[in-house]
Amino acid sequence: MTIAASRTETAAVAPTDTVPTATVRGASASGTTTPSTAETLLAGHRVPRVGLGAARLTAGDGWGIPADPEVPRALLRAALDAGIRYVDTADALGPGVSEVIIGDVIGNRDDILVSTKVGMLRPAQDRWGILGRPDYLRHAVHASLHRLRRERIDLLFLHRIDPDVPLADQLGALAELRDQGKIAHIGLSEPTREQLDAALAIEPIAAVQSLYNVAARENTPVIERLAERNIPFIAYWPLIGRGLPADTHDRVFAALQPAARAHQTSVQSIALAWIFHTVPDGLAVVGSRNPAHLRDNLAATEITLSAEEIGAISAAVTEALDGFVFNPRYSPHSA
C-alpha cells in the first residue's frame, strides 16, 4: 500500500488580518473584551480552556519511546496537579506512545477529559498519511482504548478526512462505535468549512480541533461556522513554537511584547489570550515539559484585552510576518 503525504499536514497557512467576528460581538461598551469564562463545556465535561497536548509525552516532539517513561508520567501528574482537566492526544503520536503514558497515569478516571484521534498513519518520523477506511478506523479505536486503559473514549477526533473514502463511511464507522459505547462524542480535526458542513449533515459533531494562532488565521471561516452552531473550537499550535524562520519568529514575538509588558505577563500568555478573545469559549491545547509553564498557560484565561489591543496585536503580527506564510512543519532552526 502506498501512503500519500497528508496535504493538510504539509500545507502552509496564509497570514490574514481577519479574526472571527465573535471578537466584535464580545466587545463591551468600555471597549474591552473578556473571555466568557476560564472554563467551558467540552464533550459533556466542564474544563479549563487550556488543555494539555500530549506530543511531548513521547521521546521527541510526537515520536519515539522515552528513555525513562517515568519522566513523562511525572509531567502528566504535575499537569493534573496544576489544574489541567483536559488531555488531548492522537494514536499517531509515538505512534501510540503518548496514549500508553496517559493510560498509565489517568486510566479510566472520569474526572479527566481524554480525547484522541484516529485516521492518520505514521510510517516514519517525518512521514504522515491519511487512512479512513472503516475497518481501519474501527481497529484504531479499539487499539486506542487498550492503550488508554479506558472503557470509552470521551472525545474521538477523525484526525483527517480521507478524500478517497466516502465521508459517510468514515463517520458511520465512528457512529457505530459510539452507539456501542466505545466513543462518547465524535470530533473533526482540520476540516475545511465545506467538509464541516458535509459532516454536520451526516452526524452530530461535538468539537473541531484545527491550527489557529495569532500568526495563522486561515481557519477563521471554520471558527465562524462553529460559532453559528455552538460547537466548540480547539486551537492547536497556539504558541507558534515553530512554523516560522528564526528572524520572522523573533519579529512576531517582538510584536507581542508591548501587550506582554502592559499586562506584566509573557508573550506566550498574550498569544493564548488573543485566541481566547477572538474565539469566545474556545480552547487551546498546549504542550510543555515544564509544569510552571502549564500554570502560566492556565492563567492566560484571566487576561483581559481591549478591542483596540486585539486589533493592534493582529496588525503588528501581520506586519512582522512580512508576507511569510506560516508552515506548521517549518522549524526556526532550519532557517
Side-chain angles (χ1 to χ4, degrees), residues 215-230:
R217 309 169 207 164
E218 189 182 55
N219 278 309
T220 292
V222 172
I223 294 169
E224 291 176 340
R225 178 55 57 90
L226 293 170
E228 293 169 2
R229 302 292 293 264
N230 293 316

Side-chain angles (χ1 to χ4, degrees), residues 97-108:
V97 173
S98 65
E99 289 185 332
V100 170
I101 298 296
I102 292 166
D104 289 345
V105 174
I106 297 176
N108 208 39

Side-chain angles (χ1 to χ4, degrees), residues 35-52 79-80 82-88 106 109-115 150 154-155 157 185 206-207 209 232-235 276 279-286 297-299 301-302:
S36 55
T37 178
E39 295 188 345
T40 194
L41 194 64
L42 177 64
H45 292 246
R46 181 156 290 278
V47 296
R49 294 176 65 186
V50 174
L52 178 68
L80 302 181
I84 294 288
R85 298 201 304 278
Y86 168 40
V87 179
D88 175 74
I106 297 176
R109 286 176 57 173
D110 61 7
D111 60 326
I112 306 297
L113 170 61
V114 175
S115 68
R150 296 184 78 82
D154 299 320
L155 177 57
F157 290 96
H185 299 274
Q209 183 181 128
F233 175 78
I234 306 157
F276 298 141
V279 191
D281 295 321
L283 301 93
V285 289
V286 186
N297 294 336
L298 286 164
T301 61
E302 306 293 341

Side-chain angles (χ1 to χ4, degrees), residues 19 22-35 258-260 262-263 270 273-278 302-315:
V19 294
T23 299
V24 178
R25 294 198 301 270
S28 70
S30 65
T32 62
T33 64
T34 55
H263 291 272
I270 292 297
W274 182 91
I275 291 172
F276 298 141
H277 285 73
T278 58
E302 306 293 341
I303 296 172
T304 298
L305 298 175
S306 70
E308 290 75 13
E309 284 179 302
I310 295 168
I313 290 168
S314 300

Side-chain angles (χ1 to χ4, degrees), residues 31 160 165 192 210 260 275 317:
R160 294 293 186 273
V165 178
T192 64
S210 295
I275 291 172
V317 169

Side-chain angles (χ1 to χ4, degrees), residues 54-72:
R56 294 188 180 180
L57 299 181
T58 63
D61 190 8
W63 182 263
I65 299 172
D68 181 2
E70 186 53 35
V71 172

Side-chain angles (χ1 to χ4, degrees), residues 46-223:
R46 181 156 290 278
V47 296
R49 294 176 65 186
V50 174
L52 178 68
R56 294 188 180 180
L57 299 181
T58 63
D61 190 8
W63 182 263
I65 299 172
D68 181 2
E70 186 53 35
V71 172
R73 290 190 197 110
L75 173 65
L76 182 50
R77 293 187 194 102
L80 302 181
D81 290 343
I84 294 288
R85 298 201 304 278
Y86 168 40
V87 179
D88 175 74
T89 188
D91 66 351
L93 295 178
V97 173
S98 65
E99 289 185 332
V100 170
I101 298 296
I102 292 166
D104 289 345
V105 174
I106 297 176
N108 208 39
R109 286 176 57 173
D110 61 7
D111 60 326
I112 306 297
L113 170 61
V114 175
S115 68
T116 192
K117 308 174 192 72
V118 299
M120 290 200 77
L121 302 173
R122 199 75 185 276
Q125 184 172 1
D126 59 350
R127 292 179 60 203
W128 296 74
I130 303 174
L131 184 57
R133 293 204 309 265
D135 278 349
Y136 175 73
L137 296 178
R138 295 183 187 99
H139 166 91
V141 168
H142 285 292
S144 289
L145 283 165
H146 293 320
R147 288 189 293 263
L148 290 167
R149 302 187 186 184
R150 296 184 78 82
E151 296 176 0
R152 183 177 67 175
I153 294 170
D154 299 320
L155 177 57
L156 191 284
F157 290 96
L158 183 59
H159 206 160
R160 294 293 186 273
I161 293 172
D162 189 337
D164 297 326
V165 178
L167 179 57
D169 291 352
Q170 296 173 71
L171 293 177
L174 300 185
E176 174 188 296
L177 291 163
R178 180 198 59 210
D179 295 345
Q180 294 171 358
K182 305 299 183 182
I183 297 169
H185 299 274
I186 298 169
L188 296 176
S189 180
E190 284 290 353
T192 64
R193 184 164 174 159
E194 293 73 22
Q195 288 173 330
L196 173 61
D197 287 342
L200 287 169
I202 298 169
E203 287 292 337
I205 300 301
V208 167
Q209 183 181 128
S210 295
L211 172 66
Y212 184 68
N213 61 52
V214 70
R217 309 169 207 164
E218 189 182 55
N219 278 309
T220 292
V222 172
I223 294 169

